[in-house]
Amino acid sequence: MAATKPPLHDRPERLGLGARLTHGMRDYGLLLRRHRVILFVTMALCLLAALLYILLSTPDYRATASVEVQDVPAGAAGSGAPTPSRTDDIETLMQTQLEVLRSRALAQEVARSLSLVGTPAFFQGMGVSRPKLAAGGQSQRQADEERTITLLRDHLEVDLPGKSRVIRIHFVSADPALSARIANGYADSLIRSDLKRGFQSGVQARRFLLGELDGARRDLERAERELAVYAARNGAPIPPGADMEGASSTNSPASPSGSEIDSRLAQLNSLRAQALAERIAAQKRWESARAASVETLPEVLGNGAMQELMAQRAQARAELVEERQFRKDAHPEMREARARLAALDDQAQQMANRIRASLRQDYDIARRGEKQIADEIADVEKDAQAARGRSVQMGMYERSVETYRMLHDSLLQRYRDMASQAGFQAGRIQPLDRAVAPDNPFSPKVGETMLFAALGGLALGLLLVGARHAFDDAVTSAETLAERVDLPLLGAVPVTGDNPQPSEVFAPIARSLLLASTGGLPRSILVTSAQEGEGKSLTLNALARALAALDKTVLVLDGDMRRPVQHALFRVAPGKGISEVLTGQANAADAVIATGVAGVSLLPCGAVPPNPTELLATPALDDLLASVRDRYDTILIDAPPILGLGDTPLLATRAQATLMVVEWGRNHHGGLRTAVDRLRRTGGVIIGAILTKQQGRAFDYDYHRGD
């Protein structure tokens, strides 16, 4: 038999996004309205708890002192103009000061400076009792000190307002005067500790500078000694202030100075130029004399003795020519004339040779003189190079002495400045505002506490509502039924006991079934429940009687083949039934029996089969329903509970409609949702539910629940 499907507007998956959001908001609104008592009670309890906390709490007073943190302590010796710090350095500095404020050492300093250890007024102002003698061998003084330091650190609050260099120091206690006193004590102790650290760092700096100054003085003395020794060894003038120790033991000869070497070198260069010119002139004269005839040399021709000798030779030659005209060559006077002419020729030749030899000698002398001057210049240049090396080395020694002297003077001046300003330096931490005793308590804050309590109560209430909605399937009204399993409630009845219920109670539900589908009363209706004991069999029996009272013919089919009870409710003897019909042992028309109620017939279970699920899965069940469908206005099928059994899904696929029976206030752990989902997945069409065993106020039918 074809099952009737719900209309499209009842299927949330077919709705648009806006419609789904509207539907969801409406469901959440209904959920909150239904559980508004939980919200109100939770919020009221939280507000009451907050009010009790406010009334029972001891008022606390918070006093605030502030200090300013500077980059460099004002007046620090040698600090010069303060350089701007980077943002990271400033943040690191501020965080360091915050940690100093929270430190145990500063808490001990505050306790000591304010004499808080063992003071009853301090423990009374903090709202605690004085500690008893602690175990482990501690004295009372040690126990008081430990407790005092713990209280100071626990009730101290420090913060940085924005990106400023101001630190706010808060202290909270039950005594406003004590809060102001301790806040100011923390500020004073922070300033004193900063000054103490600055003084100690100054002492350490002076010690360090004194050590560096001694080292610089030793280096200066060593450099001056080395300069004096080098100057004494090389004959250089010793600079004033140089250490003469060790210099007097050296007996090195004085070396020429650079100016003397330069003047000597200039003189030698002038002489070398002159010698070069003389050598070139002598070389030219010699080369000319060597290549030309002796008698043609200018030196020969210009020699007076040579000229006289040549004149004598010319006269002798003339006389010889003249005598040859008168005498023969064998004549004694001719021989004598020739001999005299030859003697003059020999004398002239010897004199010319001597003159040419003198030219060679002049050339050799000029060349040796040039070489001698060149050798002397080379020696002087070596001396000049050595002098330059000594000058460079001397300059290095002098610069070393000057460097060590400047370092020594700088360290000495720095040490004098620090020594003169010791004890007169301002600290890095400067006071800004002093704490005053507050007039109004800091806590408890009534407005904030009540607001947080209201918000916490609202959140807790929403959490409880959500938890109940998620884990509770109990149905107590039409709203909860629609919320849990999205089913309409056809009616609520007080079904109790094991006896048939009056049909008058189910008359409204029977009339609702007449409008359950477009065709009127469904031809077959399956009645089931999520669990056993919810009253489904009694509900089906009463519905059959109510429909019969409306002039409808009804066939009750007892499909609960595990625990059949319909024959007992109608008080008829069980005979052959569904088991025999499905197994072919009987005919359906023969198995239907009268119930004694006009218009109501019964098809009992018959023999209880060992495997009801396999029996219901056979096609014989369809043949059974087809054979009896046209004889009655509707067939009411009593099915076993859904959970744990497979019979009901098989029966639901054959029925036109399914009716859920839900016990009032039951199904707390998701059983109802599981049962309905299982039935829907198998194709069953659930038209509504009947709430049984109702308690509390009467059912208020809402005609607009489907809108």
Side-chain angles (χ1 to χ4, degrees):
M1 180 180 297
T4 303
K5 301 295 181 182
L8 292 179
H9 64 271
D10 291 337
R11 302 179 190 176
E13 64 274 8
R14 298 295 184 90
L15 300 177
L17 178 60
R20 288 200 301 270
L21 291 176
T22 304
H23 183 71
M25 294 297 295
R26 184 180 62 183
D27 291 343
Y28 289 138
L30 292 175
L31 175 65
L32 294 178
R33 186 178 66 180
R34 185 161 51 255
H35 297 293
R36 58 185 178 273
V37 176
I38 296 178
L39 290 176
F40 293 153
V41 170
T42 305
M43 292 181 63
L45 291 176
C46 291
L47 291 174
L48 180 60
L51 182 60
L52 291 176
Y53 167 75
I54 294 173
L55 295 177
L56 298 178
S57 298
T58 302
D60 290 330
Y61 296 86
R62 185 172 77 170
T64 303
S66 59
V67 295
E68 180 184 2
V69 182
Q70 298 178 352
D71 282 340
V72 180
S79 61
T83 58
S85 301
R86 297 182 304 175
T87 303
D88 295 342
D89 297 337
I90 296 174
E91 293 180 356
T92 302
L93 174 63
M94 301 305 292
Q95 292 298 325
T96 301
Q97 298 302 328
L98 291 182
E99 294 302 323
V100 171
L101 278 169
R102 299 188 183 103
S103 65
R104 178 183 177 87
L106 195 63
Q108 289 177 334
E109 173 65 20
V110 172
R112 184 195 59 78
S113 62
L114 299 180
S115 301
L116 300 178
V117 179
T119 305
F122 170 72
F123 293 106
Q124 183 178 0
M126 298 303 298
V128 297
S129 58
R130 184 177 181 182
K132 298 179 180 179
L133 186 61
Q138 279 188 333
S139 63
Q140 183 63 43
R141 176 72 178 180
Q142 292 174 338
D144 291 343
E145 182 179 5
E146 187 66 27
R147 182 61 172 164
T148 300
I149 293 174
T150 302
L151 290 174
L152 288 176
R153 299 182 69 185
D154 291 343
H155 290 76
L156 175 69
E157 300 176 1
V158 291
D159 60 57
L160 299 174
K163 295 184 178 180
S164 65
R165 300 192 183 187
V166 177
I167 300 179
R168 292 179 180 173
I169 305 172
H170 313 283
F171 193 82
V172 181
S173 71
D175 186 356
L178 180 64
S179 298
R181 181 186 173 199
I182 295 179
N184 290 326
Y186 260 103
D188 296 339
S189 297
L190 182 63
I191 295 173
R192 284 196 301 271
S193 65
D194 178 68
L195 290 173
K196 183 177 179 181
R197 288 195 301 272
F199 179 77
Q200 291 177 351
S201 63
V203 172
Q204 294 176 359
R206 290 195 296 275
R207 290 177 180 174
F208 173 77
L209 283 177
L210 186 59
E212 293 294 317
L213 185 60
D214 292 339
R217 183 166 52 249
R218 289 192 297 269
D219 292 338
L220 177 60
E221 292 174 355
R222 176 179 52 79
E224 289 178 345
R225 188 181 305 111
E226 292 176 351
L227 174 61
V229 170
Y230 184 81
R233 288 177 179 176
N234 292 274
I238 300 176
D243 191 359
M244 292 298 298
E245 181 181 355
S248 60
S249 60
T250 60
N251 297 318
S252 301
S255 300
S257 62
S259 59
E260 295 176 353
I261 294 175
D262 291 340
S263 62
R264 177 62 178 164
L265 187 60
Q267 183 181 3
L268 290 175
N269 286 328
S270 177
L271 292 176
R272 183 171 64 176
Q274 183 179 357
L276 178 63
E278 292 177 355
R279 193 265 304 168
I280 293 174
Q283 184 178 2
K284 287 183 178 180
R285 289 194 300 272
W286 161 243
E287 290 178 352
S288 297
R290 186 176 59 180
S293 175
V294 177
E295 295 179 356
T296 60
L297 293 176
E299 290 80 1
V300 174
L301 296 176
N303 190 285
M306 189 64 180
Q307 290 177 0
E308 184 180 356
L309 184 59
M310 291 179 66
Q312 292 177 2
R313 190 178 64 174
Q315 184 179 359
R317 186 179 287 110
E319 290 177 355
L320 178 60
V321 172
E322 184 178 357
E323 287 292 337
R324 188 175 287 160
Q325 293 176 359
F326 301 102
R327 296 178 180 91
K328 295 183 179 180
D329 291 337
H331 191 272
E333 289 184 3
M334 288 297 293
R335 288 196 295 269
E336 182 179 357
R338 286 197 300 272
R340 187 170 55 253
L341 179 61
L344 289 174
D345 289 338
D346 291 339
Q347 290 179 3
Q349 184 67 34
Q350 291 176 0
M351 185 173 291
N353 288 336
R354 284 195 297 270
I355 292 174
R356 186 166 61 180
S358 65
L359 293 176
R360 172 64 184 271
Q361 186 178 4
D362 292 341
Y363 168 66
D364 291 339
I365 291 172
R367 187 176 61 184
R368 285 194 298 270
E370 182 185 10
K371 183 177 182 302
Q372 184 178 1
I373 293 175
D375 293 340
E376 189 171 354
I377 288 176
D379 294 338
V380 173
E381 286 180 348
K382 290 181 181 179
D383 294 339
Q385 186 175 2
R388 284 195 296 271
R390 289 192 298 272
S391 177
V392 171
Q393 187 66 29
M394 194 74 176
M396 293 173 61
Y397 279 116
E398 290 177 352
R399 285 194 297 273
S400 178
V401 169
E402 185 65 22
T403 300
Y404 283 122
R405 182 176 288 114
M406 291 177 60
L407 177 61
H408 174 270
D409 295 343
S410 176
L411 291 174
L412 181 60
Q413 184 62 36
R414 184 73 176 272
Y415 179 78
R416 289 173 179 173
D417 293 341
M418 292 189 67
S420 63
Q421 296 184 10
F424 299 97
Q425 299 177 4
R428 188 189 301 269
I429 311 298
Q430 299 296 323
L432 191 61
D433 291 329
R434 301 290 292 177
V436 296
D439 297 330
N440 299 320
F442 171 71
S443 67
K445 299 178 180 179
V446 179
E448 293 182 6
T449 303
M450 297 302 290
L451 177 61
F452 288 149
L455 294 178
L458 178 61
L460 181 59
L462 292 175
L463 182 62
L464 293 176
V465 170
R468 180 166 183 175
H469 175 70
F471 299 106
D472 189 8
D473 277 350
V475 176
T476 57
S477 63
E479 289 80 2
T480 55
L481 180 65
E483 175 190 336
R484 301 290 189 261
V485 290
D486 193 20
L487 287 178
L489 182 62
L490 299 181
V493 293
V495 176
T496 57
D498 296 331
N499 297 320
Q501 302 297 309
S503 59
E504 294 79 5
V505 178
F506 289 86
I509 301 175
R511 284 192 290 270
S512 298
L513 290 177
L514 298 179
L515 305 174
S517 66
T518 56
L521 181 66
R523 299 301 302 273
S524 58
I525 303 174
L526 180 72
V527 181
T528 185
S529 62
Q531 306 176 58
E532 62 179 351
E534 297 191 52
K536 63 173 181 62
S537 297
L538 289 173
T539 300
L540 183 143
N541 187 274
L543 277 178
R545 297 172 185 271
L547 289 173
L550 296 176
D551 296 333
K552 298 295 181 180
T553 57
V554 180
L555 174 63
V556 177
L557 194 151
D558 197 352
D560 191 352
M561 305 179 69
R562 301 176 186 273
R563 297 180 59 182
V565 296
Q566 290 300 328
H567 64 281
L569 294 177
F570 283 109
R571 292 181 174 84
V572 295
K576 295 182 180 181
I578 301 175
S579 300
E580 288 77 10
V581 175
L582 295 180
T583 56
Q585 300 177 18
N587 193 344
D590 298 336
V592 175
I593 59 176
T595 61
V597 179
V600 180
S601 301
L602 173 64
L603 181 57
C605 173
V608 177
N611 50 353
T613 304
E614 296 181 2
L615 192 60
L616 293 174
T618 60
L621 179 60
D622 297 329
D623 297 337
L624 170 61
L625 294 175
S627 63
V628 298
R629 181 183 300 122
D630 296 334
R631 302 179 186 178
Y632 304 95
D633 293 328
T634 186
I635 301 174
L636 298 181
I637 305 173
D638 188 2
I642 301 173
L643 297 179
L645 301 174
D647 302 356
T648 303
L650 294 174
L651 292 171
T653 57
R654 271 80 171 191
Q656 183 179 359
T658 300
L659 185 63
M660 289 292 300
V661 175
V662 181
E663 182 179 348
W664 189 94
R666 197 175 176 183
N667 299 294
H668 292 285
H669 304 289
L672 179 60
R673 295 182 185 181
T674 303
V676 172
D677 291 342
R678 181 180 180 186
L679 198 61
R680 284 172 172 168
R681 284 196 302 269
T682 59
V685 180
I686 306 176
I687 60 174
I690 299 175
L691 189 61
T692 61
K693 304 180 183 181
Q694 183 188 14
Q695 301 176 13
R697 55 183 182 174
F699 169 67
D700 184 13
Y701 193 87
D702 185 4
Y703 284 99
H704 303 284
R705 63 178 180 269
D707 294 345

